[in-house]
Every structure is written in structure tokens, then in C-alpha cells.
Amino acid sequence: MERAGQEILEKQKRFLFPAVITYYSEPLAVVRGKGLCLYDTEGREYLDFFGGILTVIAGHCNDKITDALVEQARTLQHTSTLFLTAPQVELAEKLAAITPGRLQKSFFTNSGTEANETAIQIARAYTGRHEVVALRHAYSGRSALAMSITGQYAWRTGGPGLPGIVHAHSAYCYRCPFEKTYPDCELVCARDMEEMIRTATSGQLAAFIAEPIQGVGGFITPPKEYFLIVAEIIRKYGGVFISDEVQTGLGRTGGKWFGIEHWGVQPDILTMAKGLANGLPAGATIAAPEIADSLKGLTISTFGGNPVSARAAKATIDLIESEGLLENARVVGQYLRERLEELQDKHLIIGEVRGMGLMQGVELVRDRKAKQPAVEEIRRLMDLAKNNGLILGKGGLYGNVIRISPALTCTRRDVDDAIRLLDRSLSQLQQA
Ligand code: PMP
């Protein structure tokens, strides 16, 4: 690493919490981004197929979004929610229009964590109950409550979680906890929900919170029946359905605005963040009116609905609409999937390719039968890909899943470039 990068690294080590993890054996210092590309301190170009963490949904420094937020930054940057602002209500109106069903009223925050906190808070206020069902392999954020909902031990730092939260099985078919195979399994993972509620809760639920595709969990994608079955059981026990769309929202899964729309279930509350403002801090919780109205008393989010973030978010949604990016994510996502499956035919280390739209995961295993997670290998692969100019994400309980999630502006040519670089990196991994 040359001097500018070295200086950043040294300061990071001295002045930041060491728990702030970075990718790569030699961390990458980034100075600039444009479209699907990132540039490091030496001016080297990287094809960004992780997009922040599925955050830069319309590409780095998109001109239209930048123009909108710069104009807003010159006009009014902050008021807090104690005052009325047009950007906040215009964003809320737009979210009500693009979210499914009766979702109508929004509460704005700064992150996915807070969006999920708010969702649980209003679900409890609405039902007058406390207990929450979450899913194994979930990731929900870093507050005490969000960590307690998270279903991966590595992200639950700080000891035992909060009471009143239980974790049901997610549909991780590649590593089915019941050792069954879809569809012969008859969705035993989903049907187990009822026994879980009857044995591990009081049967009086406030909410069920789930990601339509589990993001940090390694893009775990359930069969189409899974959410229909679990939603019915949850509602039977009085719980409201919270769809955590922090990763799957805003067109990421292709063809639809939100991931849950693929599964035919109507959520009562939906949360989003990440891609919402194309990388600026913004979180939103949108709920059916009677649920939103049930929160009484005082609440405030100082930076929530911030005019600059809200303008950027509205501009991001407008751009996704005007440039047909939902359809692009579907078509290019399908192409990406086909190309990844070609790589699977060629490289034995690829155990499974899964996902939807421009959210595709590649699970790496030491051998395809025993499915032993290729943990060390993925570390080396990430380094090799970076050195070849390709940025990928990583996830999964075992940390052996490549997460691929470029901006929705991604073209087939970008996919071809990424596949070429990934293919080369996988071949180098084998040779090493
Ligand atoms: N929910 C999901 C599904 C996420 O992936 C994340 C972040 N990885 C969060 C919530 C938390 O979001 P944030 O980091 O913005 O608090």
C-alpha cells in the first residue's frame, strides 16, 4: 500500500474502535466513486459488485441524485422533525405510493437498526403485547434490541439478548436443519413455526420480523410457499408481520419494489434503509395507518427525515422509476444468475448460487457432498478479486458466501466484466 493509504490505515488503527472491521488482508482505502466503479488512493479502478453493502442502489455519485441533494444542502440542511418540511412529506407520500397494500404512514430515522427498533416499538404498541418471533440467520442491526433479533451469534456482541424474542427456522434449503429436500420436505421449516410458538412463547405475539431474503445471512432465499405458511401461523397468534427490507427493498430483487411482494404476503409494517437514499444515512418504517397511529406519547428522531437525506431518497426513487431500474434489475439479475451458474459448472468450490434480481449469493464449500464451508478460501478469493479489480461482499453464518449486489444500473456488459474477473480469481484460487 502506498503512502496515502498507509496514513489512513494508521489513523484508523489509532483512532477507531478495532471492532470496526475492514475487508481484505490489506484494507482498501477508497477516495472516489462513480457509477459502478470505485477508485483507491493510487487511482486504481475497481468494479463494485457489492455497492456499499447493497446501499449504492443507483450507482456511486449519481449525477441526478447528487444535483438534488446539493441543491437541498444549499437551501436547508436541518430543522429536526419539530418543523414541517416538504422533502420529508414528499418522501413519505412517495413511499406510501410504492409500498404494497395499506402501508401508508412513515417514521424516518438514520439507519436500518432504528427502522427495525421503530417497527417493533409500534407493533408492541398496537398489539399491547411484547413477544417477537425472529428468524435464525437474520441480521437486524446493532442496538440491544436489533442484536437480540439477529440470528447469528457473531453479530450478537455484548452477551445475552433481551427477553421476549424467539428464533424460528428460516428456509436455508442448502443446509436444511431438518436434512430434507424441497419440495418433498413439505416446508417442515415453515410448519415448525406453530410448535415453536406453542412451546417457546406465551402464544401472545406482538410481531414476526423477517427479511424476504436474508442478507447478512448469505442471501438465503426461501421457497415461494415459506412466507405464506409462516404469515398465516403468526397471524393466528395475533402477531403483525414486519418485513425487514433494508437489503431487499427498492427494487433490489428485480421486477418489484419490495422483496416481500415476490412471496404474496402483505406486511403490516415494512422497514428500509441502505439503498433508500443511495448511500446517505436514511431509515424508514412504514406502517398501516392504525398501527402507526397506535404509538402514543412523545418520540423524536433529531436527524430523521433530514431534508438532505429525504431529497436524496426521493431523487433515488424517482430515478429507479424513470430509468426502469426495477425491470433492469430483473433482466440483468437473471443474466447474472445464468453466468454465475456457468461458473458453478466450472468451479467445484461453488456449492450453490441463490438469490433474486441483483442480489445473488454464491456459497463456497470445500467439497460439494460434505458442504464444509470454504472459510479460508473465501478470504483468499476476496483478496484475489480485489487485486483483479473486483469488489465482492461476504456473508453467511460461516462467512463462506459471496454476496453480489451491484447498483441497479448494472448492465449485461458490467456482468460480463465481473464474471470474467471472478472466473479469473477462482482459477487463481485453485492454482494457489
Ligand atoms: N436489517 C438488515 C436486513 C440489514 O442488512 C441491516 C444492515 N446490514 C440492518 C437491518 C441494520 O442496518 P444499519 O446498519 O443501517 O443499522
Side-chain angles (χ1 to χ4, degrees), residues 53 110-114 116 139-142 211 215-216 244-247 273-274 403:
I53 305 175
N110 314 293
S111 65
T113 300
E114 291 169 276
N116 285 338
Y139 183 89
S140 303
R142 60 172 308 281
E211 302 157 75
V216 178
D244 176 346
E245 303 261 2
V246 169
Q247 296 210 9
K274 291 208 193 287
R403 288 195 283 165

Side-chain angles (χ1 to χ4, degrees), residues 41 62 88 149 153 159 275 307 338 353 357 361 369 407:
T41 44
N62 179 287
Q88 177 170 235
I149 293 164
Y153 71 107
E338 286 161 17
V353 181
K369 215 164 160 12

